[in-house]
Coordinates of all heavy atoms in Angstrom, one line a residue:
M1303 N 109.9 102.9 104.5 CA 110.3 104.1 105.0 C 109.1 105.0 105.6 O 108.1 104.8 105.0 CB 111.0 104.9 103.9 CG 111.6 106.1 104.3 SD 112.3 107.1 102.9 CE 111.0 108.1 102.5
W1304 N 109.4 105.7 106.5 CA 108.4 106.5 107.2 C 108.9 107.7 107.7 O 110.1 107.9 108.0 CB 107.5 105.7 108.2 CG 108.1 105.8 109.6 CD1 107.8 106.6 110.5 CD2 109.2 104.9 110.0 NE1 108.6 106.4 111.7 CE2 109.4 105.3 111.3 CE3 109.8 103.9 109.6 CZ2 110.3 104.7 112.2 CZ3 110.8 103.2 110.4 CH2 111.0 103.6 111.7
H1305 N 108.0 108.7 107.9 CA 108.5 110.0 108.5 C 107.5 110.2 109.7 O 106.3 110.0 109.4 CB 108.3 111.2 107.5 CG 109.3 111.1 106.4 ND1 110.6 111.3 106.4 CD2 108.9 110.7 105.0 CE1 111.1 111.1 105.2 NE2 110.1 110.7 104.4
G1306 N 108.0 110.5 110.8 CA 107.1 110.7 111.9 C 107.0 109.7 112.9 O 107.9 109.0 113.2
D1307 N 105.7 109.4 113.4 CA 105.3 108.6 114.4 C 105.6 107.0 113.9 O 105.0 106.5 113.1 CB 104.0 108.7 114.8 CG 103.5 107.8 115.9 OD1 104.4 107.5 116.7 OD2 102.3 107.5 116.1
E1308 N 106.5 106.3 114.7 CA 106.8 105.0 114.4 C 105.5 104.1 114.6 O 105.4 103.1 114.0 CB 108.0 104.5 115.2 CG 108.3 103.0 114.9 CD 109.6 102.5 115.6 OE1 110.3 103.4 116.3 OE2 109.8 101.3 115.7
D1309 N 104.8 104.3 115.7 CA 103.6 103.5 116.1 C 102.6 103.6 114.9 O 101.9 102.6 114.5 CB 103.0 104.0 117.3 CG 103.9 103.6 118.6 OD1 104.6 102.6 118.4 OD2 103.9 104.3 119.6
A1310 N 102.5 104.8 114.3 CA 101.5 104.9 113.2 C 101.9 104.2 112.0 O 101.3 103.5 111.3 CB 101.4 106.5 113.0
A1311 N 103.4 104.3 111.8 CA 103.8 103.5 110.6 C 103.7 102.0 110.8 O 103.4 101.4 109.8 CB 105.3 104.0 110.4
R1312 N 103.8 101.6 112.0 CA 103.7 100.1 112.3 C 102.3 99.6 112.1 O 102.1 98.6 111.6 CB 104.3 99.7 113.7 CG 104.4 98.4 113.7 CD 105.2 97.9 115.0 NE 106.5 98.4 115.1 CZ 107.5 98.0 114.3 NH1 107.4 96.9 113.6 NH2 108.8 98.5 114.4
L1313 N 101.4 100.5 112.4 CA 99.9 100.2 112.3 C 99.6 100.2 110.8 O 98.9 99.2 110.3 CB 99.2 101.3 113.1 CG 97.6 101.0 112.8 CD1 97.1 99.8 113.4 CD2 96.9 102.3 113.4
V1314 N 100.0 101.0 109.9 CA 99.9 101.1 108.6 C 100.4 99.7 107.9 O 99.8 99.0 107.0 CB 100.4 102.3 107.8 CG1 100.4 102.2 106.4 CG2 99.7 103.5 108.3
L1315 N 101.6 99.4 108.3 CA 102.2 98.1 107.9 C 101.4 96.9 108.3 O 101.1 96.1 107.4 CB 103.6 98.1 108.4 CG 104.5 96.9 108.0 CD1 104.6 96.8 106.4 CD2 105.9 96.9 108.6
T1316 N 100.9 96.8 109.5 CA 100.1 95.8 109.9 C 98.9 95.6 109.2 O 98.5 94.5 108.8 CB 100.0 95.8 111.5 OG1 101.2 95.8 112.2 CG2 99.1 94.6 111.9
E1317 N 98.1 96.7 109.0 CA 96.9 96.7 108.3 C 97.1 96.2 106.8 O 96.2 95.6 106.3 CB 96.4 98.1 108.4 CG 95.8 98.4 109.8 CD 95.2 99.9 109.8 OE1 95.4 100.6 109.0 OE2 94.6 100.1 110.9
A1318 N 98.1 96.7 106.2 CA 98.5 96.3 104.9 C 98.7 94.8 104.7 O 98.2 94.3 103.7 CB 99.7 97.1 104.3
I1319 N 99.4 94.3 105.6 CA 99.6 92.8 105.6 C 98.4 92.0 105.9 O 98.0 91.1 105.3 CB 100.7 92.5 106.6 CG1 102.1 93.0 106.2 CG2 100.7 90.9 106.9 CD1 103.2 92.8 107.2
A1320 N 97.5 92.6 106.7 CA 96.2 92.0 107.1 C 95.2 92.1 105.9 O 94.6 91.1 105.5 CB 95.6 92.6 108.3
A1321 N 95.5 93.2 105.1 CA 94.5 93.4 103.9 C 94.7 92.3 102.9 O 94.0 92.0 102.1 CB 94.6 94.7 103.3
A1322 N 96.1 91.8 102.8 CA 96.5 90.8 101.8 C 95.7 89.5 102.2 O 95.5 88.7 101.2 CB 98.0 90.6 101.9
G1323 N 95.2 89.2 103.3 CA 94.4 88.1 103.7 C 94.9 86.7 103.2 O 96.1 86.4 103.4
E1324 N 94.0 85.9 102.6 CA 94.3 84.8 102.2 C 95.3 84.6 101.0 O 95.9 83.7 100.7 CB 92.9 83.9 101.8 CG 92.3 83.5 103.1 CD 91.1 82.7 102.8 OE1 91.0 82.1 101.8 OE2 90.1 82.7 103.6
E1325 N 95.3 85.8 100.3 CA 96.2 85.8 99.1 C 97.7 85.7 99.5 O 98.5 85.2 98.8 CB 96.1 87.2 98.4 CG 94.7 87.3 97.7 CD 94.5 88.7 97.1 OE1 95.5 89.3 96.8 OE2 93.3 89.0 96.8
S1326 N 97.9 85.9 100.8 CA 99.3 85.8 101.2 C 99.6 84.5 102.1 O 100.6 84.3 102.7 CB 99.7 87.1 102.0 OG 98.9 87.1 103.3
A1327 N 98.5 83.6 102.1 CA 98.7 82.4 102.9 C 99.9 81.6 102.4 O 100.0 81.5 101.3 CB 97.4 81.6 102.8
G1328 N 100.6 81.2 103.3 CA 101.8 80.4 102.9 C 103.0 81.1 102.6 O 104.1 80.5 102.3
V1329 N 103.0 82.5 102.7 CA 104.0 83.4 102.4 C 104.5 83.8 103.8 O 103.9 84.3 104.6 CB 103.6 84.5 101.4 CG1 104.9 85.5 101.3 CG2 103.1 84.1 100.2
D1330 N 105.9 83.7 103.9 CA 106.5 84.2 105.1 C 106.8 85.7 105.0 O 107.2 86.2 104.1 CB 108.0 83.6 105.4 CG 107.8 82.1 105.6 OD1 106.9 81.6 106.3 OD2 108.9 81.4 105.4
V1331 N 106.1 86.5 106.0 CA 106.1 87.9 105.9 C 106.9 88.4 107.2 O 106.6 88.0 108.3 CB 104.6 88.4 105.9 CG1 104.7 90.0 106.0 CG2 104.0 87.9 104.6
E1332 N 107.8 89.3 106.9 CA 108.5 90.0 108.0 C 108.3 91.4 107.9 O 108.5 92.0 106.9 CB 110.0 89.7 107.8 CG 110.9 90.3 108.9 CD 112.4 90.1 108.7 OE1 112.7 89.5 107.8 OE2 113.0 90.7 109.5
Q1333 N 107.8 92.0 109.0 CA 107.6 93.4 109.1 C 108.9 94.2 109.4 O 109.6 93.8 110.3 CB 106.5 93.8 110.0 CG 105.2 93.2 109.8 CD 104.1 93.7 110.8 OE1 104.4 94.7 111.5 NE2 103.0 93.0 110.9
V1334 N 109.2 95.1 108.5 CA 110.5 95.8 108.7 C 110.2 97.3 108.5 O 109.6 97.6 107.4 CB 111.6 95.4 107.7 CG1 112.8 96.2 108.0 CG2 111.9 93.9 107.9
L1335 N 110.5 98.1 109.3 CA 110.4 99.6 109.1 C 111.8 100.1 109.1 O 112.7 99.7 109.7 CB 109.6 100.3 110.4 CG 108.2 99.8 110.6 CD1 107.8 100.6 111.8 CD2 107.5 100.4 109.4
S1336 N 112.0 101.1 108.2 CA 113.3 101.6 107.9 C 113.3 103.2 107.7 O 112.4 103.7 107.2 CB 113.8 101.1 106.5 OG 115.1 101.7 106.3
R1337 N 114.2 103.7 108.4 CA 114.3 105.2 108.4 C 115.3 105.6 107.3 O 115.8 106.8 107.2 CB 114.8 105.8 109.7 CG 113.7 105.8 110.7 CD 113.8 106.9 111.6 NE 112.8 107.1 112.7 CZ 111.9 107.9 112.6 NH1 111.7 108.8 111.6 NH2 110.9 107.9 113.6
N1338 N 115.7 104.7 106.4 CA 116.5 105.0 105.2 C 115.8 106.0 104.4 O 114.7 106.2 104.2 CB 116.7 103.7 104.4 CG 117.8 103.9 103.4 OD1 117.9 104.9 102.8 ND2 118.6 102.8 103.3
A1339 N 116.6 107.0 103.8 CA 116.1 108.2 103.2 C 115.6 107.8 101.8 O 114.7 108.4 101.2 CB 117.2 109.2 103.0
S1340 N 115.9 106.6 101.4 CA 115.6 106.2 100.0 C 114.8 104.9 100.1 O 115.3 103.8 100.6 CB 116.8 106.0 99.0 OG 116.5 105.2 98.0
P1341 N 113.5 104.9 99.7 CA 112.8 103.5 99.8 C 113.5 102.4 98.9 O 113.6 101.3 99.3 CB 111.3 103.9 99.1 CG 111.4 105.4 99.3 CD 112.6 105.8 99.3
A1342 N 114.0 102.8 97.7 CA 114.8 101.8 96.9 C 115.9 101.3 97.6 O 116.3 99.9 97.6 CB 115.1 102.4 95.6
A1343 N 116.7 102.2 98.3 CA 117.9 101.7 99.0 C 117.5 100.7 100.2 O 118.1 99.7 100.3 CB 118.7 102.8 99.5
A1344 N 116.4 101.2 100.9 CA 115.9 100.2 102.0 C 115.6 99.0 101.5 O 115.9 97.9 102.1 CB 114.8 100.9 102.8
L1345 N 114.8 98.9 100.4 CA 114.3 97.5 99.8 C 115.5 96.8 99.4 O 115.5 95.6 99.5 CB 113.3 97.8 98.6 CG 112.0 98.4 99.1 CD1 111.2 99.0 97.9 CD2 111.1 97.3 99.7
A1346 N 116.4 97.4 98.7 CA 117.6 96.6 98.1 C 118.4 96.1 99.3 O 118.9 95.0 99.2 CB 118.3 97.6 97.2
E1347 N 118.5 96.8 100.3 CA 119.3 96.3 101.5 C 118.7 95.3 102.2 O 119.3 94.2 102.4 CB 119.5 97.6 102.6 CG 120.2 97.2 103.8 CD 120.2 98.3 104.8 OE1 120.4 99.6 104.3 OE2 120.1 98.1 106.0
E1348 N 117.3 95.3 102.5 CA 116.5 94.1 102.9 C 116.6 92.9 102.1 O 116.4 91.8 102.6 CB 115.1 94.6 103.2 CG 114.9 95.6 104.5 CD 115.4 95.0 105.7 OE1 115.1 93.7 105.9 OE2 116.1 95.6 106.6
A1349 N 116.6 93.1 100.8 CA 116.6 92.1 99.8 C 118.0 91.4 99.5 O 118.1 90.5 98.6 CB 115.9 92.4 98.5
A1350 N 118.9 91.9 100.2 CA 120.4 91.5 99.9 C 120.6 89.9 100.0 O 121.3 89.4 99.1 CB 121.3 92.2 100.8
S1351 N 119.8 89.4 100.9 CA 120.0 87.8 101.0 C 118.7 87.1 100.3 O 118.6 85.9 100.6 CB 120.2 87.4 102.4 OG 119.1 87.8 103.2
A1352 N 118.0 87.9 99.8 CA 116.7 87.3 99.2 C 116.9 86.6 97.8 O 117.8 86.8 97.1 CB 115.6 88.3 99.0
D1353 N 116.0 85.7 97.4 CA 116.0 85.0 96.1 C 115.4 85.9 95.1 O 115.6 85.8 94.0 CB 115.3 83.7 96.2 CG 116.1 82.7 97.1 OD1 117.3 82.8 97.1 OD2 115.4 81.8 97.8
L1354 N 114.3 86.7 95.6 CA 113.5 87.6 94.6 C 113.0 88.6 95.4 O 112.6 88.6 96.6 CB 112.5 86.7 94.1 CG 111.4 87.3 93.2 CD1 112.1 87.7 91.9 CD2 110.2 86.4 92.9
L1355 N 113.0 89.9 94.9 CA 112.3 91.0 95.4 C 111.1 91.3 94.5 O 111.2 91.5 93.4 CB 113.3 92.3 95.5 CG 112.6 93.6 95.8 CD1 112.1 93.5 97.2 CD2 113.7 94.7 95.8
V1356 N 109.9 91.3 95.2 CA 108.7 91.5 94.5 C 108.2 92.9 94.8 O 108.0 93.2 96.0 CB 107.6 90.4 94.8 CG1 106.3 90.7 94.0 CG2 108.1 89.0 94.4
L1357 N 107.8 93.8 93.9 CA 107.3 95.0 94.1 C 105.9 95.2 93.4 O 105.7 94.6 92.3 CB 108.1 96.1 93.6 CG 109.7 96.1 94.1 CD1 110.4 97.1 93.1 CD2 109.8 96.5 95.4
G1358 N 105.1 95.9 94.1 CA 103.7 96.3 93.4 C 103.8 97.7 92.7 O 104.7 98.5 93.2
T1359 N 102.9 98.0 91.9 CA 102.8 99.3 91.4 C 101.5 100.0 91.6 O 100.5 99.2 92.0 CB 102.9 99.3 89.8 OG1 101.8 98.6 89.2 CG2 104.2 98.7 89.4
R1360 N 101.4 101.1 91.4 CA 100.1 101.8 91.6 C 99.1 101.5 90.6 O 98.0 101.9 90.7 CB 100.3 103.3 91.8 CG 101.2 103.8 92.9 CD 101.3 105.2 92.9 NE 102.4 105.7 93.9 CZ 103.0 106.7 93.9 NH1 102.7 107.6 93.0 NH2 103.9 107.0 94.6
G1361 N 99.5 101.0 89.5 CA 98.6 100.7 88.4 C 97.9 101.9 87.9 O 96.7 102.0 87.7
R1362 N 98.7 102.9 87.4 CA 98.1 104.2 86.9 C 97.6 103.9 85.5 O 96.6 104.6 85.1 CB 99.2 105.2 86.8 CG 99.6 105.6 88.2 CD 100.6 106.7 88.0 NE 101.9 106.1 88.0 CZ 103.0 106.8 88.2 NH1 103.2 108.1 87.9 NH2 104.2 106.1 88.0
G1363 N 98.0 102.9 84.9 CA 97.4 102.6 83.5 C 97.9 103.6 82.4 O 98.8 104.4 82.6
G1364 N 97.5 103.3 81.1 CA 97.8 104.1 80.1 C 99.3 104.2 79.7 O 100.0 103.2 79.9
L1365 N 99.7 105.3 79.4 CA 101.2 105.5 79.1 C 102.1 105.3 80.3 O 103.1 104.7 80.1 CB 101.5 107.0 78.5 CG 102.9 107.3 78.3 CD1 103.4 106.5 77.1 CD2 102.9 108.8 77.8
H1366 N 101.5 105.6 81.5 CA 102.3 105.4 82.7 C 102.7 103.9 82.9 O 103.7 103.7 83.5 CB 101.4 105.8 83.9 CG 101.4 107.4 83.9 ND1 102.4 108.3 84.2 CD2 100.2 108.1 83.6 CE1 101.9 109.5 84.0 NE2 100.7 109.4 83.8
E1367 N 101.9 103.1 82.3 CA 102.2 101.6 82.4 C 103.5 101.3 81.9 O 104.2 100.4 82.3 CB 101.1 100.8 81.9 CG 100.6 99.7 82.7 CD 99.4 99.0 82.2 OE1 99.7 98.3 81.2 OE2 98.3 99.2 82.7
L1368 N 103.9 101.9 80.9 CA 105.0 101.6 80.1 C 106.3 102.1 80.8 O 107.4 101.8 80.6 CB 105.0 102.4 78.8 CG 103.8 102.0 77.7 CD1 104.0 102.7 76.5 CD2 104.0 100.3 77.4
L1369 N 106.0 103.1 81.7 CA 107.2 103.6 82.6 C 107.2 103.2 84.0 O 106.1 103.1 84.6 CB 107.1 105.2 82.6 CG 106.8 105.9 81.2 CD1 106.5 107.3 81.5 CD2 108.2 105.7 80.5
D1370 N 108.2 102.7 84.5 CA 108.4 102.4 85.8 C 108.5 103.5 86.8 O 109.0 104.6 86.4 CB 109.6 101.5 86.1 CG 109.5 100.1 85.6 OD1 108.3 99.6 85.7 OD2 110.5 99.4 85.3
G1371 N 108.0 103.4 88.0 CA 108.2 104.5 89.0 C 109.7 104.4 89.4 O 110.4 103.5 89.1
S1372 N 110.1 105.4 90.0 CA 111.6 105.6 90.3 C 112.0 104.5 91.4 O 113.2 104.0 91.3 CB 111.8 107.0 91.0 OG 111.0 107.1 92.2
V1373 N 111.1 104.1 92.3 CA 111.5 103.1 93.3 C 111.8 101.7 92.5 O 112.9 101.0 92.7 CB 110.4 103.0 94.3 CG1 110.8 101.8 95.3 CG2 110.3 104.1 95.1
S1374 N 110.8 101.2 91.7 CA 111.0 100.0 90.9 C 112.2 100.1 90.0 O 113.1 99.1 90.0 CB 109.9 99.5 90.2 OG 109.4 100.5 89.3
F1375 N 112.4 101.2 89.5 CA 113.6 101.3 88.6 C 114.9 101.3 89.3 O 115.9 100.5 88.9 CB 113.4 102.7 87.8 CG 114.7 103.1 86.8 CD1 114.8 102.5 85.7 CD2 115.7 103.9 87.4 CE1 115.8 102.9 84.9 CE2 116.7 104.2 86.6 CZ 116.8 103.7 85.2
D1376 N 115.0 102.1 90.5 CA 116.2 102.0 91.3 C 116.4 100.6 91.9 O 117.5 100.2 92.1 CB 116.1 103.0 92.3 CG 116.3 104.5 91.8 OD1 116.7 104.6 90.7 OD2 115.9 105.4 92.6
C1377 N 115.3 99.9 92.3 CA 115.4 98.7 92.9 C 116.1 97.6 91.9 O 116.9 96.9 92.2 CB 114.2 98.1 93.4 SG 113.7 98.7 95.0
R1378 N 115.6 97.7 90.6 CA 116.2 96.8 89.6 C 117.7 97.3 89.3 O 118.5 96.3 88.9 CB 115.4 97.0 88.3 CG 114.0 96.2 88.3 CD 113.5 96.0 87.2 NE 113.6 97.1 86.1 CZ 112.7 97.7 85.4 NH1 111.5 97.4 85.6 NH2 112.9 98.8 84.7
R1379 N 118.1 98.4 89.5 CA 119.5 98.8 89.2 C 120.4 98.4 90.4 O 121.6 98.1 90.2 CB 119.6 100.4 89.1 CG 119.1 100.8 87.7 CD 119.2 102.3 87.5 NE 120.4 102.8 88.1 CZ 120.6 104.1 88.5 NH1 119.6 104.9 88.5 NH2 121.7 104.5 89.0
H1380 N 119.9 98.4 91.6 CA 120.7 98.2 92.8 C 120.5 96.9 93.5 O 121.5 96.6 94.3 CB 120.5 99.4 93.8 CG 120.8 100.7 93.1 ND1 122.2 101.1 92.7 CD2 120.1 101.9 92.8 CE1 122.2 102.2 92.2 NE2 121.0 102.7 92.2
A1381 N 119.4 96.2 93.3 CA 119.2 94.9 94.1 C 120.1 94.0 93.6 O 120.6 93.8 92.5 CB 117.8 94.5 94.0
T1382 N 120.7 93.0 94.5 CA 121.5 92.0 94.1 C 120.8 90.6 93.7 O 121.4 89.6 93.5 CB 122.5 91.7 95.3 OG1 121.8 91.3 96.4 CG2 123.4 93.0 95.6
C1383 N 119.4 90.8 94.0 CA 118.7 89.6 93.5 C 117.6 90.0 92.4 O 117.7 91.1 92.1 CB 117.8 89.0 94.7 SG 116.6 90.3 95.3
P1384 N 117.0 89.0 91.7 CA 116.2 89.4 90.7 C 115.0 90.3 91.3 O 114.6 90.0 92.4 CB 115.5 88.0 90.3 CG 116.6 87.1 90.5 CD 117.3 87.6 91.9
V1385 N 114.5 91.1 90.5 CA 113.3 92.0 90.9 C 112.1 91.7 90.0 O 112.3 91.8 88.8 CB 113.8 93.5 90.9 CG1 112.5 94.4 91.2 CG2 114.9 93.7 91.8
M1386 N 111.0 91.5 90.6 CA 109.6 91.5 89.7 C 108.8 92.5 90.2 O 108.6 92.7 91.3 CB 109.1 90.0 90.0 CG 107.9 89.8 89.3 SD 107.0 88.1 89.4 CE 106.6 88.1 91.1
V1387 N 108.3 93.1 89.2 CA 107.3 94.2 89.3 C 106.0 93.8 88.9 O 105.7 93.4 87.8 CB 107.7 95.5 88.6 CG1 106.8 96.7 88.9 CG2 109.1 96.0 89.0
V1388 N 105.0 93.8 89.9 CA 103.7 93.2 89.6 C 102.6 94.3 89.5 O 102.6 95.3 90.3 CB 103.1 92.3 90.7 CG1 101.8 91.8 90.4 CG2 104.1 91.2 90.9
T1389 N 101.9 94.4 88.4 CA 100.8 95.5 88.3 C 99.5 94.9 88.6 O 99.2 93.6 88.5 CB 100.8 95.9 86.9 OG1 100.6 94.8 85.9 CG2 102.1 96.6 86.4
A1390 N 98.6 95.7 89.1 CA 97.3 95.3 89.4 C 96.4 95.2 88.1 O 96.7 95.7 87.1 CB 96.6 96.4 90.2
P1391 N 95.5 94.2 88.2 CA 94.7 93.9 87.1 C 93.7 95.3 86.6 O 93.5 95.9 87.6 CB 93.7 92.7 87.5 CG 93.9 92.5 88.9 CD 95.1 93.3 89.3
H1392 N 93.6 95.4 85.4 CA 92.8 96.6 85.0 C 91.4 96.2 84.9 O 91.1 95.1 84.6 CB 93.3 96.9 83.6 CG 94.7 97.6 83.6 ND1 94.8 99.0 83.9 CD2 95.9 97.0 83.4 CE1 96.1 99.2 83.8 NE2 96.8 97.9 83.5
T1393 N 90.6 97.2 85.3 CA 89.2 97.1 85.1 C 88.6 98.1 84.1 O 89.1 99.2 83.9 CB 88.3 97.3 86.4 OG1 88.7 98.6 86.9 CG2 88.7 96.3 87.5
V1394 N 87.7 97.7 83.3 CA 87.1 98.6 82.2 C 86.0 99.2 82.8 O 85.1 98.6 83.4 CB 86.7 97.7 81.0 CG1 86.2 98.6 79.9 CG2 88.0 97.0 80.4
G1395 N 85.8 100.5 82.4 CA 84.6 101.2 82.9 C 84.9 102.4 83.7 O 85.0 103.4 84.1

């Protein structure tokens, strides 16, 4: 989901996929921009024919780790496929 300039949104999406680099090697990636008012609804709609919807978290840590964000919570409630939420590894210091 984005607000404003579609070209700017597409650039952010392209850069995010490129930043995944070799970690995404062998994974089919399809770039999709949605003007859906709800990110969770857009993700659930795109995942309607998927085998698995994988979401990342911001990795806030602490107590926040025990709580899901609203997007991951809503995706788990509305997606028709299994949903996996991945957290970033923690660093000490």
Side-chain angles (χ1 to χ4, degrees):
M1303 185 180 93
W1304 84 95
H1305 300 284
D1307 183 27
E1308 182 176 345
D1309 291 334
R1312 192 165 303 283
L1313 178 62
V1314 168
L1315 180 59
T1316 300
E1317 289 174 350
I1319 292 170
E1324 290 187 22
E1325 293 178 19
S1326 64
V1329 176
D1330 293 331
V1331 176
E1332 178 184 357
Q1333 294 184 19
V1334 178
L1335 292 177
S1336 173
R1337 284 212 181 254
N1338 194 317
S1340 163
L1345 288 165
E1347 181 180 318
E1348 287 298 322
S1351 63
D1353 293 326
L1354 177 68
L1355 173 59
V1356 180
L1357 304 170
T1359 67
R1360 294 183 195 159
R1362 291 180 270 184
L1365 177 60
H1366 293 287
E1367 229 176 71
L1368 300 174
L1369 306 172
D1370 281 334
S1372 60
V1373 173
S1374 60
F1375 179 80
D1376 286 347
C1377 282
R1378 285 198 322 235
R1379 285 183 39 211
H1380 299 293
T1382 57
C1383 65
V1385 177
M1386 180 171 69
V1387 180
V1388 179
T1389 58
H1392 290 274
T1393 58
V1394 177

